[in-house]
Amino acid sequence: MSNEKVFQMSFAKVYSLLENKAVRKGCTAEEVQTVVTWLTGYSAEELARLLETDTTYGEFFTKAPCLNPNRVLIKGSVCGVRVENIEDPLMREIRYLDKLIDELAKGKALEKILRHE
């Protein structure tokens, strides 16, 4: 799938998929929300409002109020690609979230998922 197709996907649809993945693995919707708000700077209320709009996945990240500066501490592979090596800045942000949700779904503690220096 091309980057443009990913960027144009519905944020609400992608969020639902990410949430379902984590919940199937025993996590809560609140934990997913915590990860997303930590990464992007959106409040829980802003996130809830965005889920009711036709915001694209790309817009969700480009309009994020405050991308967490510690997100650069996220390392590892998603879909066989190391997130720290992704050249397209927007795709890297998207893969950071994918990586965090993967870690959550694998049972990693929130304290470790939410990187601190």
Side-chain angles (χ1 to χ4, degrees):
M1 182 179 297
S2 75
N3 288 358
E4 275 308 311
K5 284 185 180 180
V6 173
F7 301 159
Q8 294 305 314
M9 292 173 71
S10 160
F11 166 67
K13 181 176 181 174
V14 174
Y15 186 87
S16 174
L17 294 171
L18 294 172
E19 185 177 73
N20 288 340
K21 175 182 182 176
V23 169
R24 274 193 323 270
K25 299 290 185 166
C27 302
T28 66
E30 291 77 22
E31 288 172 316
V32 173
Q33 181 182 67
T34 298
V35 167
V36 173
T37 58
W38 175 87
L39 179 65
T40 62
Y42 287 109
S43 68
E45 295 78 22
E46 290 169 320
L47 191 57
R49 275 194 302 273
L50 284 170
L51 290 170
E52 300 297 321
T53 69
D54 61 353
T55 299
T56 67
Y57 206 31
E59 289 170 337
F60 172 74
F61 283 99
T62 58
K63 294 180 180 180
C66 183
L67 291 169
N68 194 303
N70 287 343
R71 72 192 185 286
V72 298
L73 300 174
I74 301 168
K75 309 281 186 223
S77 294
V78 174
C79 300
V81 178
R82 298 204 54 86
V83 293
E84 62 270 26
N85 296 338
I86 297 172
E87 291 186 23
D88 184 302
L90 182 53
M91 184 54 77
R92 187 177 325 114
E93 301 302 337
I94 288 170
R95 292 303 187 187
Y96 282 151
L97 181 55
D98 290 343
K99 180 66 178 165
L100 295 177
I101 297 299
D102 282 354
E103 291 176 356
L104 184 64
K106 290 178 181 173
K108 193 170 184 179
L110 266 178
E111 298 78 38
K112 292 188 179 198
I113 293 171
L114 308 181
R115 271 70 170 182
H116 302 285
E117 289 196 87

